[in-house]
Amino acid sequence: MPHRPVRLPSPARLAIVGATGAVGMELLSCLEQRNFPVQQLRLFASERSAGRRLKFRSDTLPLEVLRQGSLSDVDLVLCSAGSKLAARYAPQAAEGGAIVIDNSSAFRTQPQVPLVVPEVNPETLAAHAGIIANPNCVAIIASLALRPLQRAAGLRRLSMATYQAASGGGAAAMQELLSATRAALSGESFAPRVLPHPYAFNLFSHNSAVDMASGLNEEEIKVTRELRRLLSSPALPIGVTCIRVPVLRAHAMALTVELDRALSVAEVRRLMAEAAGLRLVDDRERNLFPMPLAATGIDEVLVGRVRTDGSDPSGHTIALFVAGDQLRKGAALNAVQIAEQLML
Ligand code: A2P
């Protein structure tokens, strides 16, 4: 059995798998903006990208086609190319001595693979065996707002509805939103290619497979499972409805949270304002609350519309509205923050 490093050297030799994708491009920008200590960076994509180059700092780096053995001689693999490729390449890379942070759902349910949001459950990172899972984007964003409430007052029940951006479906889904909108504005017909339904001026139930017995789609199942894991609350009752909306790259969500102990609106606002990774946007006078456009391109997740929920006369239930950049904190930034934790 080769020695498996638990921590990363600094600077590290990095590989990005899926570098041309929506999350891959954001990984490059996060590494650059955060001045991540890089000794060497290799970029991998499919044969379709052979010959292309991508800019990183003052270099333009070639894209390499991912093959068996490509991921030897690297310290860190940031993988964002879907579950199938992750299942095939991540174990080999970890066996070869790299630490893999994978953005797909391939490993998220494996007990020996930590599922990590650094502000929420950093203690779980120490136990990794070469592969670390970056959680589902909705689970990451919601967990940032839920964790401070859990610490202060205990969680009894969560009901939530999401308003999910095109970016969750990758670069092709973002392109489809733009093309479908242009076509609609020009009065032309547009046949959906990537998503199952017309996307311009429309919204629809999340485009993942629906489980016939429960009626839940895969996204709702992931969000439920992963939030329970991130919050170390395996039995937390959660009801969730996931909706795809015509927004480019930031997810929004309405959270209705029943607490063990009642908190006032002022206490919740203070908790949200003080929590790492969150920015309170809760201006009733100006009717200004979290919006996907305001969350786009920034690191913080926006939280606001703090209210005591009228459906629970006991006053134990709080309603919140949250918006976070799906490509950033919902994916690339969280992965880079995990890597930073491994270097501390
Ligand atoms: P490519 O651009 O060459 O197709 P997104 O989630 O935005 O759709 O991005 C998916 C990423 O996964 C892209 O970078 C894509 O590269 C990459 N990818 C898809 N198939 C493969 C493959 N067989 N080998 C390596 N990378 C792949």
Side-chain angles (χ1 to χ4, degrees), residues 5-326:
V6 174
R7 311 203 62 77
L8 282 171
S10 176
R13 297 166 304 167
L14 265 68
I16 298 181
V17 174
T20 51
V23 174
M25 299 291 282
E26 201 62 29
L27 282 166
L28 282 167
S29 116
C30 285
L31 292 170
E32 188 160 338
Q33 284 170 8
R34 298 173 74 81
N35 219 5
F36 190 90
V38 176
Q39 185 187 324
Q40 182 198 44
L41 176 59
R42 295 178 67 189
L43 305 180
F44 293 94
S46 76
E47 279 168 6
R48 290 180 290 276
S49 300
R52 281 184 63 193
R53 299 178 81 89
L54 293 177
K55 195 174 165 305
F56 180 69
R57 295 180 179 158
S58 53
D59 297 325
T60 49
L61 304 174
L63 279 154
E64 302 177 55
V65 177
L66 185 66
R67 302 187 198 289
Q68 297 293 328
S70 288
L71 302 175
S72 51
D73 301 325
V74 294
D75 303 309
L76 172 66
V77 179
L78 297 170
C79 195
S80 186
S83 297
K84 275 196 195 132
L85 283 185
R88 183 154 159 221
Y89 286 96
Q92 290 176 18
E95 281 297 319
I99 296 177
V100 181
I101 302 174
D102 178 45
N103 198 51
S104 80
S105 58
F107 304 100
R108 291 181 190 155
T109 54
Q110 296 189 8
Q112 77 281 14
V113 174
L115 183 76
V116 184
V117 176
E119 296 89 339
V120 171
N121 63 344
E123 68 287 350
T124 59
L125 196 51
H128 79 82
I131 302 178
I132 296 155
N134 207 34
N136 166 279
C137 43
V138 171
I140 294 177
I141 292 167
S143 71
L144 285 186
L146 292 168
R147 187 58 147 173
L149 295 174
Q150 181 186 38
R151 287 199 181 110
L155 303 181
R156 211 180 267 176
R157 192 175 61 85
L158 168 66
S159 175
M160 61 190 283
T162 70
Y163 309 75
Q164 295 184 228
S167 55
M174 295 172 81
Q175 193 50 53
E176 179 145 311
L177 175 57
L178 293 171
S179 307
T181 307
R182 270 189 215 109
L185 290 173
S186 329
E188 291 161 14
S189 64
F190 182 88
R193 288 184 285 261
V194 182
L195 292 163
H197 305 293
Y199 204 4
F201 307 105
N202 191 24
L203 55 81
F204 45 86
S205 188
H206 192 277
N207 52 295
S208 52
V210 179
D211 174 63
M212 291 303 131
S214 65
L216 295 172
N217 59 48
E218 265 175 26
E219 183 78 353
E220 291 159 350
I221 292 168
K222 283 181 199 172
V223 170
T224 304
R225 194 165 55 201
E226 295 182 29
L227 273 177
R228 287 179 176 149
R229 202 172 163 202
L230 288 170
L231 298 168
S232 303
S233 293
L236 181 68
I238 299 179
V240 52
T241 302
C242 288
I243 303 293
R244 187 75 77 190
V245 297
V247 164
L248 266 179
R249 56 172 280 172
H251 287 351
M253 53 203 75
L255 307 179
T256 306
V257 195
E258 188 184 342
L259 304 170
D260 284 332
R261 182 173 79 75
L263 291 177
S264 69
V265 166
E267 284 174 303
V268 174
R269 281 192 180 135
R270 185 183 51 76
L271 288 169
M272 298 293 120
E274 289 173 359
L278 290 178
R279 186 190 296 175
L280 182 68
V281 181
D282 199 33
D283 187 338
R284 291 180 179 179
E285 279 176 16
R286 289 198 296 153
N287 195 353
L288 181 65
F289 300 109
M291 291 183 284
L293 272 187
T296 293
I298 63 170
D299 288 354
E300 292 88 4
V301 165
L302 308 181
V303 57
R305 284 228 77 194
V306 182
R307 288 151 293 150
T308 301
D309 189 69
S311 70
D312 176 5
S314 79
H316 279 62
T317 300
I318 290 291
L320 299 171
F321 195 67
V322 177
D325 189 319
Q326 187 270 333

